[in-house]
Amino acid sequence: MFWRRGGTRVVGGGGPAGTVQAEPAPALALDGVSRAYRGGVTALDAVSLRVPAGRMVAVLGRSGSGKSTLLQCAAGLDRPTAGTVRIGGTSLTGLGEAALTRLRRDRVGFVFQSLNLVPSLSVLENAALPLLLAGGPGRTRRPAGTQQEEAGRARAALDAVGLADRADDRPDLLSGGQQQRVAVARALVTDPDVVFADEPTGALDPVTAAEVLALLRRAADAGRTVLMVTHDPVAAAWADEAVFLHGGCLAARMGTPDAGEVRRLLHELGRR
C-alpha cells in the first residue's frame, strides 16, 4: 500500500522503549561513525543508525548539525574517520576507490537539490545515464541489444514518474518539478539498494514538492530504502522515521513523524 508507516515515536536519542523485537538485516547500517576535519572540527560524533529495506528515513537538524556529512559518509562520498558503514552486507571501510565507485553506480541512487542533469542530453538519456556509467569505459562497444535494454529500463523509470511523454525533450524545456522527477527516475533506474536524497524539495513549491515526495515514498513502499536529508518538517512527515542530529550527535528519533512535532523538536534542539 502507499502508506506503510508506523512504529513507536521515540524522542531523546537511544533505542525505542518497551520490548525489543528482532529487525530484519539492515539495508544501510552506520556503526559509531565519526567524521573529523582539520582544525579539530567534528562534524559527526559516533553516530549509529540502522535502516531496514523498504523504509524511508528523514534526517533533520539545524545548519551545521552534521546531516549532510552523515549522508556523504553513508553513501560512500566521504570516508569517516572512525566507525563503519555497510550497504547491504558490504562494508565500505575496506573498499578502494574503484570498488567504491562501482558500488555507488550499481547499488546506490542519488537525488540532489542541484539536480545535476546534463543539459546536452535528452530526458531519456539523462535517466539512462547510470546504466551507461555502470559498465565503465568499455561500454562504447556494448553487446547487441544492450542499448535497447537500457532505453527500455529508462523509459520504464520515466513512466513511473509520469514523464514518458517527455523522453525526447531536453531538460531546459521542463519545469523545475519535472526536472526533479527526471532526477528521481535516474536514481531509480538501476534498482538501487538505497536512494540518498539531499534536500530534494528545497527549491520546489509545496505542490510540486509533494509530488516528488510521493515518488520517494512509493519507492520505499516498493522495497527500496530511502535516506533523505531535509530541513522541512512537512517533508519529514512522509517518512517512516525522523532522526535528529545536534552538534554531530544523534539527538533524537521519532517514529511516524508529524510535521508539528518535528517543528517543535527542531525548535527545542535549537535552544540547546
Side-chain angles (χ1 to χ4, degrees):
M1 63 182 180
F2 191 74
W3 288 95
R4 190 172 52 110
R5 301 167 54 194
T8 302
R9 179 179 178 276
V10 183
V11 177
T19 303
V20 177
Q21 297 181 349
E23 291 187 349
L28 174 68
L30 286 74
D31 292 298
V33 170
S34 297
R35 183 63 170 101
Y37 296 98
R38 291 181 180 179
V41 176
T42 299
L44 288 179
D45 187 6
V47 172
S48 294
L49 179 66
R50 285 171 169 77
V51 186
R55 297 275 287 182
M56 182 175 176
V57 174
V59 182
L60 300 105
R62 296 281 181 169
S63 178
S65 62
K67 56 185 185 294
S68 291
T69 303
L70 182 145
L71 182 144
Q72 291 167 3
C73 288
L77 297 171
D78 193 7
R79 291 187 182 272
T81 48
T84 60
V85 177
R86 296 191 308 277
I87 292 179
T90 302
S91 173
L92 276 57
T93 305
L95 295 182
E97 290 302 322
L100 196 56
T101 297
R102 286 194 297 271
L103 180 140
R104 288 196 299 263
R105 289 175 177 173
D106 297 341
R107 300 173 60 186
V108 172
F110 295 98
V111 183
F112 297 116
Q113 181 177 339
S114 58
L115 300 180
N116 296 325
L117 299 180
V118 181
S120 61
L121 299 180
S122 69
V123 167
L124 179 67
E125 290 167 334
N126 269 282
L129 194 56
L131 299 174
L132 174 62
L133 295 177
R139 293 300 291 275
T140 55
R141 296 183 178 179
R142 302 199 290 281
T146 301
Q147 287 180 302
Q148 291 84 350
E149 179 185 348
E150 290 172 352
R153 291 177 64 178
R155 288 187 185 278
L158 289 175
D159 185 56
V161 301
L163 288 175
D165 61 333
R166 306 300 299 271
D168 296 327
D169 290 336
R170 300 292 187 204
D172 62 354
L173 297 177
L174 305 184
S175 68
Q178 289 171 327
Q179 291 181 26
Q180 188 63 288
R181 284 153 62 189
V182 175
V184 173
R186 182 182 58 192
L188 300 178
V189 74
T190 59
D191 194 19
D193 295 338
V194 185
V195 175
F196 294 97
D198 191 1
E199 299 286 2
T201 61
L204 303 178
D205 64 83
V207 173
T208 306
E211 294 175 354
V212 172
L213 290 165
L215 294 173
L216 295 174
R217 177 70 257 170
R218 197 174 303 141
D221 290 335
R224 296 182 179 95
T225 297
V226 179
L227 186 72
M228 174 180 65
V229 166
T230 183
H231 69 282
D232 184 3
V234 175
W238 288 79
D240 297 293
E241 182 181 17
V243 299
F244 299 80
L245 296 181
H246 182 71
C249 298
L250 183 59
R253 304 178 70 159
M254 181 184 296
T256 317
D258 169 81
E261 287 296 293
V262 170
R263 190 175 291 108
R264 182 196 62 78
L265 185 51
L266 285 173
H267 178 71
E268 179 183 316
L269 290 173
R271 297 173 59 185
R272 291 185 183 179

